[in-house]
Amino acid sequence: MIYLLILIFVVVFSLKYDFKGSSNCSSGRLQAYCFLFILFVAIAGFRYNIGGDTIGYAARFDQYPLLKNFTSANFSDINERFQPGWVLLASICRTIVDNFLLLQFVHVLIVNIVLFRFFRKYSINYITCIALYFCVFYLIWNTEILRGSLAAVMGLLFFEALDSRKYALAILCGIASYLFHVSGIMVLLLLLASKIKLSKKGDYIFFILCLLGSQLWAILPNSTAFYLNSLFGESNVDPYFSQEELHDLNIFGLTIFYAKYLVLPAFVIIFHRKNVDKVKDFSTYIWLYIFLIMLSKYSIAFTRLSYFFLPFYIIGIVDAFSYLYKRGTIPKYAVILVLGLYLYIFQIQLLSPEDHREELFRFQYERYYPYKSVFGDNSYK
């Protein structure tokens, strides 16, 4: 299976170059990184009907006008859920080649260029970051949330521009993020996070806020969704806030949820901080990720918003693991890691009452397996 092949490559390269003390500038490491980039882009860029959202976007592709017929009215005529940036990008691609494959490939190219560049710039173990990216959200970002992933990577460019004090570029990237998807409003949180430097006291405050945040949405008045619909448009907000994620958890589910999304990330922040002399401190961004994940119990919307901070958390996990590994303390945590893996594997049997289990936790493998490419008899046109 092609996904297993990629997994083997990323694991082998990670062990060889990130955990064997190779130089950050070694030619072999850079060649491996470039090889993985080409592989990631090719697999997702030349796929055929892989991903539920991809099928929907492909079916609508012929509704986008060519540039010569493009008017401002097209931003609302096609589907008011589609932001102007996405509509314009789709129209440009259709003008060049009237085939959804081009739009699909351009999307994959943009997303992976930004992510690979971001991980290499901000982590000394960037191949391991790519390994986690593949395991955690490669399929989601490249085949499902096409508009959302474009908004998220524009958010990463916004962060990089702020970090380099290129404020004009940051403004452009922030606007581009929102023009691709309404979730681009998260660039304001990225801006806020860039101004906050947390101490240990700040960590305690955020921990309490995240713990309370898991109950916050449940006590908000019912009018909250109405105000959000008024602000961003009902078609942009309601489809996400109307979908509950993990609201109906039993005591075992709540225990695992808090351990996985609050306690574990808190330890990640502690060990990530020990590497701040070598890497940038992303503690504030990780805390914001935790806070949004806490709210995700009640709506898929918060899961989507948390994607803006997920790459920072990936770097934090890798840095924490690298610190423990290089200190020779991994064996001390082996039991915890094995137990965590055991609980994660069996969480489907623990997280919810019997009558809700399948509905909440059935992963739709048929969206991604078996893998099909555009080569051969498969074609969008």
Side-chain angles (χ1 to χ4, degrees):
M1 184 180 293
I2 196 165
Y3 302 118
L4 179 59
L5 180 63
I6 299 177
L7 181 62
I8 292 173
F9 277 128
V10 294
V11 170
V12 170
F13 289 152
S14 174
L15 292 175
K16 180 177 181 180
Y17 294 112
D18 283 352
F19 292 98
K20 297 299 182 181
S22 299
S23 170
N24 188 57
C25 299
S26 67
S27 58
R29 194 183 199 203
L30 183 57
Q31 289 172 3
Y33 202 61
C34 292
F35 171 75
L36 290 176
F37 170 77
I38 294 172
L39 190 61
F40 276 42
V41 170
I43 295 301
F46 293 113
R47 72 187 186 277
Y48 174 72
N49 280 352
I50 301 295
D53 286 5
T54 293
I55 297 174
Y57 285 121
R60 294 187 182 98
F61 185 69
D62 59 358
Q63 298 178 23
Y64 297 106
L66 301 178
L67 284 180
K68 64 180 181 180
N69 301 322
F70 196 93
T71 66
S72 59
N74 293 123
F75 288 137
S76 58
D77 285 347
I78 298 172
N79 187 320
E80 59 180 359
R81 283 186 61 193
F82 291 174
Q83 304 303 107
W86 173 262
V87 175
L88 183 58
L89 177 63
S91 294
I92 292 173
C93 289
R94 186 167 181 239
T95 300
I96 297 173
V97 177
D98 191 8
N99 193 312
F100 177 73
L101 176 62
L102 178 61
L103 176 58
Q104 173 178 282
F105 192 86
V106 168
H107 164 266
V108 169
L109 195 62
I110 294 172
V111 168
N112 285 279
I113 284 177
V114 176
L115 280 172
F116 271 71
R117 181 175 179 271
F118 181 80
F119 287 136
R120 186 163 185 259
K121 183 175 182 179
Y122 290 105
S123 177
I124 58 176
N125 303 292
Y126 50 81
I127 293 183
T128 306
C129 288
I130 291 299
L132 262 67
Y133 158 49
F134 175 74
C135 295
V136 176
F137 62 106
Y138 172 75
L139 287 175
I140 298 296
W141 279 36
N142 286 276
T143 72
E144 292 290 351
I145 56 166
L146 274 61
R147 293 176 296 129
S149 59
L150 283 176
V153 296
M154 289 298 112
L156 293 180
L157 292 178
F158 172 83
F159 165 82
E160 289 188 38
L162 281 181
D163 192 41
S164 303
R165 300 183 184 276
K166 298 177 181 178
Y167 299 115
L169 179 59
I171 292 173
L172 290 175
C173 292
I175 293 173
S177 179
Y178 185 78
L179 288 178
F180 278 121
H181 195 268
V182 69
S183 62
I185 195 69
M186 282 293 100
V187 297
L188 297 179
L189 266 184
L190 287 170
L191 176 61
L192 177 64
S194 69
K195 303 298 182 182
I196 300 176
K197 303 298 180 184
L198 292 178
S199 60
K200 288 186 177 180
K201 182 179 180 180
D203 288 337
Y204 295 139
I205 294 174
F206 252 106
F207 186 88
I208 295 174
L209 286 175
C210 290
L211 195 59
L212 295 176
S214 64
Q215 305 301 323
L216 179 63
W217 192 253
I219 63 176
L220 287 176
N222 293 331
S223 58
T224 303
F226 171 78
Y227 293 128
L228 291 171
N229 286 335
S230 301
L231 182 61
F232 298 110
E234 183 174 354
S235 61
N236 290 315
V237 174
D238 190 64
Y240 302 108
F241 280 94
S242 62
Q243 298 182 49
E244 292 184 353
E245 281 277 85
L246 305 172
H247 182 67
D248 194 17
L249 300 181
N250 63 19
I251 186 63
F252 299 105
L254 287 173
T255 300
I256 295 175
F257 180 82
Y258 286 119
K260 181 179 177 182
Y261 291 119
L262 183 58
V263 178
L264 176 61
F267 276 104
V268 164
I269 290 174
I270 293 172
F271 291 113
H272 168 70
R273 279 236 178 88
K274 304 213 181 255
N275 271 340
V276 294
D277 57 326
K278 301 179 181 179
V279 298
K280 190 174 180 64
D281 185 5
F282 288 143
S283 300
T284 305
Y285 302 91
I286 298 174
W287 276 122
L288 288 172
Y289 171 77
I290 298 171
F291 182 76
L292 291 169
I293 286 294
M294 288 293 101
L295 292 176
S296 71
K297 281 204 309 162
Y298 300 100
S299 173
I300 193 176
F302 295 111
T303 304
R304 294 294 183 89
L305 297 178
S306 72
Y307 287 149
F308 278 74
F309 302 93
L310 181 55
F312 299 99
Y313 182 46
I314 292 296
I315 291 176
I317 292 176
V318 171
D319 287 344
F321 186 83
S322 174
Y323 174 82
L324 295 173
Y325 180 86
K326 292 175 181 178
R327 285 286 300 271
T329 53
I330 279 293
K332 299 178 182 179
Y333 297 88
V335 175
I336 297 177
L337 291 174
V338 171
L339 178 61
L341 180 62
Y342 174 86
L343 292 175
Y344 182 81
I345 291 174
F346 287 95
Q347 67 174 318
I348 294 178
Q349 299 179 11
L350 298 174
L351 288 184
S352 64
E354 181 72 24
D355 54 340
H356 294 108
R357 184 182 306 159
E358 182 177 355
E359 176 185 351
L360 284 173
F361 300 101
R362 182 177 62 86
F363 189 78
Q364 296 173 311
Y365 290 101
E366 67 275 8
R367 292 186 175 188
Y368 315 105
Y369 309 99
Y371 176 82
K372 294 173 289 186
S373 74
V374 296
F375 302 109
D377 296 333
N378 299 322
S379 176
Y380 287 111
K381 284 292 183 179

